[in-house]
Amino acid sequence: MTTILVTGGAGYVGSVSVAALLAAGHEVAVLDDLTTGHSAAVPSGARLVVGSYGEQAPVERLLRERGVEAILHCAARSLVGESIIDPGKYYRDNVAGGVALLEAARAAGVGRVVFSSTAAVYGVPDATPIPEDAPLRPINPYGETKRTFEGALRWYGAAYGLRSVSLRYFNVAGATAELGEDHDPETHLIPAVLRAVETGAPLTIFGDDYPTPDGTCIRDYIHVADLADAHLRAIEATAPGDPRTDGGALVCNLGVGGGFSNREVVAAAEAVVGHAIPFTVGPRRVGDPPVLVAAADRAATVLGWRPQHTTLESMVGSAWAWRQANPGGYRD
């Protein structure tokens, strides 16, 4: 058993990961400021501490008091469009706040970190699927701040012996029976499609003139339960003496290795809900690459991770089932 602090553990990805860690027998504390998370999403068995990971002294006290051995860092500002409009917020929270977390960990003697990174570090890739050694050329401040924090992990490993795993995951989707996605505003396509079904609100697909077969963006999707499994495996890989992180920083992509266009996502949702879903086409969003598909061989080879939910129907279907069971989302 390992005692783990999960930042952002009241959020979508964080809460599902907390549940997986608890099921594996670990002790978990959650640190979340609840600006986008929900206290009702924190699984029973985990202690919620309301606060910011960027406040170094309180975080150091929490790490010491709870006897934390490893950190799963899921918390971040994560809206691409907002990052372009207000990059300062993203550098303050994702970079400066992240370094404050690392300093608190160093002071408390916590030498293991797993980081929720993103495919946005690649920008517009030269080739698809994208390998981990592809050039990092973010085209928005969100991706740039994630790239910068990955660099901090690498240098903290070289200087201080920090063991870390950065997981560059692609579009997360789906739900478990208990936990799902509830954001406001909602910028992710699948929940936006399902919200349009529920409310009758108009759905907009941003751009149909990309250099793709149907003109819409193509993305690699990963089920949130598969991502939680990868987090669990990555925590294990940071254990003292584990050769996988003896070099300090390990980086792995997470995806199914295939892409689905925005139009294909709408078609899958139509199959799940049983009727047509009208949509309009709007202009491209600034900062959206045409195609992002992962080469996830390293995660399979090094972490022993392979996605178990690889179809759009399974991802959209589980998200729809959760929304039907939880109308209005989390009520907290």
Side-chain angles (χ1 to χ4, degrees):
M1 181 191 77
T2 302
T3 302
I4 302 164
L5 176 70
V6 180
T7 68
Y12 171 45
V13 168
S15 62
V16 177
S17 296
V18 169
L21 293 170
L22 290 169
H26 298 295
E27 183 174 331
V28 180
V30 168
L31 178 63
D32 200 301
D33 65 8
L34 300 182
T35 55
T36 58
H38 305 273
S39 58
V42 178
S44 174
R47 175 195 171 194
L48 170 63
V49 177
V50 179
S52 170
Y53 63 87
E55 296 177 354
Q56 183 176 332
V59 172
E60 181 185 341
R61 286 195 299 271
L62 174 62
L63 296 173
R64 292 184 185 278
E65 290 169 0
R66 299 293 295 181
V68 170
E69 300 164 88
I71 297 170
L72 172 56
H73 184 31
C74 294
R77 301 295 178 190
S78 60
L79 302 180
V80 169
E82 181 185 57
S83 78
I84 293 170
I85 295 168
D86 190 2
K89 176 189 291 187
Y90 281 68
Y91 276 89
R92 284 192 303 270
D93 288 2
N94 294 0
V95 178
V99 171
L101 174 67
L102 293 183
E103 285 296 286
R106 188 160 71 95
V110 180
R112 303 166 61 184
V113 174
V114 172
F115 176 47
S116 288
S117 192
T118 172
V121 299
Y122 295 115
V124 180
D126 295 328
T128 297
I130 308 167
E132 287 88 351
D133 59 0
L136 305 185
R137 297 182 301 228
I139 61 173
N140 53 65
Y142 165 64
E144 180 64 29
T145 59
K146 289 283 193 171
R147 183 200 65 79
T148 301
F149 189 74
E150 282 192 20
L153 290 173
R154 184 174 67 253
W155 289 111
Y156 269 65
Y160 310 126
L162 178 72
R163 291 174 176 265
S164 70
V165 180
S166 293
L167 298 176
R168 295 173 182 163
Y169 52 80
F170 287 57
N171 284 33
V172 187
T176 65
E178 298 81 18
L179 300 164
E181 190 168 8
D182 181 11
H183 295 128
D184 186 17
E186 184 52 74
T187 62
H188 297 160
L189 179 58
I190 288 176
V193 171
L194 298 180
R195 180 174 292 180
V197 172
E198 294 167 338
T199 65
L203 171 69
T204 301
I205 287 181
F206 297 100
D208 64 352
D209 58 347
Y210 286 95
T212 61
D214 66 18
T216 64
C217 287
I218 292 175
R219 294 291 183 267
D220 196 337
Y221 286 83
I222 174 175
H223 196 286
V224 67
D226 286 330
L227 175 53
D229 177 57
H231 280 153
L232 177 62
R233 294 170 183 268
I235 287 284
E236 294 169 351
T238 63
D242 193 303
R244 293 174 291 182
T245 52
D246 274 347
L250 171 66
V251 175
C252 293
N253 286 337
L254 297 180
V256 301
F260 303 100
S261 75
N262 288 350
R263 289 183 183 271
E264 288 176 316
V265 170
V266 173
E270 290 175 334
V272 168
V273 303
H275 59 77
I277 303 173
F279 66 88
T280 59
V281 176
R284 296 186 185 189
R285 293 186 300 190
V286 176
D288 272 350
V291 180
L292 289 174
V293 175
D297 304 321
R298 183 182 294 175
T301 302
V302 179
L303 298 179
W305 176 86
R306 291 174 178 80
Q308 301 302 305
H309 311 83
T310 58
T311 67
L312 273 179
E313 288 73 20
S314 66
M315 298 181 206
V316 176
S318 62
W320 181 237
W322 185 84
R323 294 179 76 93
Q324 288 185 301
N326 299 273
Y330 294 107
R331 298 187 179 275
D332 60 350

